[in-house]
Amino acid sequence: MNTQFSIKREKFNGQLLAIGRLVPYKGFEFLIKAINKSNYQLHIIGDGPLYDSLKVIAGKNIFLHRKVDETMKNQLFHQCDLLIVPSINRAEAYGMTIAEAFETGMPVVASNLETGVTWLVQDEKTGLVFDTLNAESLLRAIKKFEDDEIFYQNVSLNTKQFFEENLKYEHFKNKFKNI
């Protein structure tokens, strides 16, 4: 990602973002059903075989963006408060969108998959982890960011720091030089 910007995230506004190929293991059906009856707005960027069926079940508070250019993607990163990673099995090994979110200072709420996802999304440090396929657990995690501005601000700062210290290209380049 080439966001070239960092956002000062001070207040939670109820805007959620999810990005990925619309395939079963990504958990978008679960996410839509969990968010449908909430007061949150959810933007999903992605395309794939589930697009049409997800469009059918999405409530008025859920917006599916099939394909977007970098400008639109950056706008959504700027507009939204949290990245949600709802994957439902270990096929989600890492999650590049998490690194993109961290670059902008966006906290992440992710399924507890015990993969690279939870190495990135460190519970209460760079985001919150919820019990996979558990809507109540997901909504509790989102609500924690909504209810606690200081927590939201601190986690946002932590994501930027984690990105700078662990995920920037220069960091990887230096690590490989030392191997």
Side-chain angles (χ1 to χ4, degrees):
M1 178 175 194
N2 188 14
T3 55
Q4 298 295 318
F5 66 91
S6 182
I7 302 162
K8 186 171 185 184
R9 298 181 187 275
E10 295 182 354
K11 185 177 179 216
F12 182 88
N13 296 307
Q15 300 284 318
L16 310 174
L17 179 63
I19 302 173
R21 183 152 163 71
L22 305 180
V23 293
Y25 81 88
K26 293 284 191 174
F28 289 113
E29 182 179 349
F30 155 75
L31 179 61
I32 288 171
K33 288 177 179 178
I35 300 299
N36 260 340
K37 295 177 183 161
S38 74
N39 291 322
Y40 304 118
Q41 285 192 351
L42 171 64
H43 293 269
I44 299 174
I45 298 173
D47 199 3
L50 297 181
Y51 182 86
D52 292 331
S53 63
L54 295 176
K55 190 86 169 153
V56 169
I57 64 168
K60 293 179 182 179
N61 59 327
I62 298 174
F63 306 93
L64 278 85
H65 307 273
R66 215 175 207 144
K67 292 183 181 178
V68 299
D69 61 19
E70 282 298 308
T71 301
M72 178 63 172
K73 187 165 129 180
N74 289 340
Q75 286 175 348
L76 287 169
F77 269 109
H78 189 273
Q79 169 186 328
C80 295
D81 305 303
L82 299 172
L83 178 72
I84 310 296
V85 179
S87 300
I88 61 173
N89 74 37
R90 294 176 56 87
E92 187 71 72
Y94 182 77
M96 283 304 297
T97 58
I98 297 170
E100 291 177 306
F102 286 2
E103 183 180 14
T104 69
M106 178 183 280
V108 178
V109 174
S111 300
N112 188 7
L113 298 174
E114 297 181 2
T115 63
V117 170
T118 44
W119 176 78
L120 292 168
V121 184
Q122 298 168 11
D123 202 37
E124 300 213 7
K125 182 176 180 192
T126 58
L128 288 173
V129 175
F130 69 92
D131 298 328
T132 306
L133 288 171
N134 185 320
E136 284 182 28
S137 180
L138 168 63
L139 293 171
R140 256 192 326 272
I142 295 167
K143 185 104 174 94
K144 181 166 182 158
F145 284 107
E146 180 179 17
D147 290 346
D148 190 341
E149 270 183 36
I150 301 299
F151 177 73
Y152 180 68
Q153 292 167 11
N154 287 338
V155 173
S156 177
L157 291 172
N158 290 343
T159 64
K160 288 186 238 183
Q161 181 180 358
F162 187 87
F163 179 83
E164 293 293 324
E165 293 175 0
N166 299 288
L167 303 175
K168 273 186 108 167
Y169 172 74
E170 291 80 16
H171 174 75
F172 282 110
K173 186 170 85 175
N174 291 334
K175 276 229 184 241
F176 284 117
K177 280 182 183 177
N178 296 325
I179 292 179

